[in-house]
Amino acid sequence: MHMAIDCGFAANPERIESQMQGAAVMGMTTALHSGITFEDGAVVQENFYDYDVVRADNFPRKVVTHIAKHPFSVHATGVGEPGMPPVPPAIANALFAATGERRRRLPLGIDA
């Protein structure tokens, strides 16, 4: 998986990479597995043991992070949130490119 971020001056590129890797995990979880269900007005899932998340066996072997380079004079911004939102649409577009089928609801209903 390749991800790109423009976060201003990258004071700690290794930390940015780890944030983007975590964002990839959460984005893939949202796209492929997410879903909170309710029964009698209460959430059925209690914790991660019954809420499926992307794990090492279905995660890309490598996440390549492309960081836009800026000089120190460019204000650094946050990197905690920007990586996650583009992942589900990217997976949906890849699915469309591979199958010709558009899926418009999450989870996409496929196994990674």
Side-chain angles (χ1 to χ4, degrees):
M1 178 182 290
H2 285 257
M3 301 182 79
I5 186 167
D6 184 352
C7 58
F9 176 70
N12 189 344
E14 294 83 13
R15 182 64 181 136
I16 295 168
E17 288 179 20
S18 67
Q19 283 289 115
M20 296 302 283
Q21 290 166 352
V25 169
M26 294 314 296
M28 287 181 67
T29 294
T30 299
L32 304 176
H33 305 295
S34 78
I36 299 292
T37 56
F38 296 87
E39 190 173 293
D40 296 326
V43 174
V44 174
Q45 294 75 20
E46 293 181 23
N47 209 325
F48 286 115
Y49 63 84
D50 59 1
Y51 177 81
D52 200 14
V53 296
V54 171
R55 300 189 195 311
D57 65 339
N58 63 354
F59 188 71
R61 291 182 186 202
K62 187 169 187 176
V63 175
V64 178
T65 302
H66 303 275
I67 303 170
K69 300 208 182 296
H70 292 287
F72 182 73
S73 61
V74 176
H75 178 68
T77 63
V79 297
E81 305 302 331
M84 188 278 189
V87 174
I91 293 172
N93 283 337
L95 181 63
F96 175 68
T99 67
E101 179 185 352
R102 273 278 179 220
R103 302 224 179 147
R104 301 190 185 277
R105 291 185 180 270
L106 298 177
L108 295 171
I110 59 173
D111 291 326

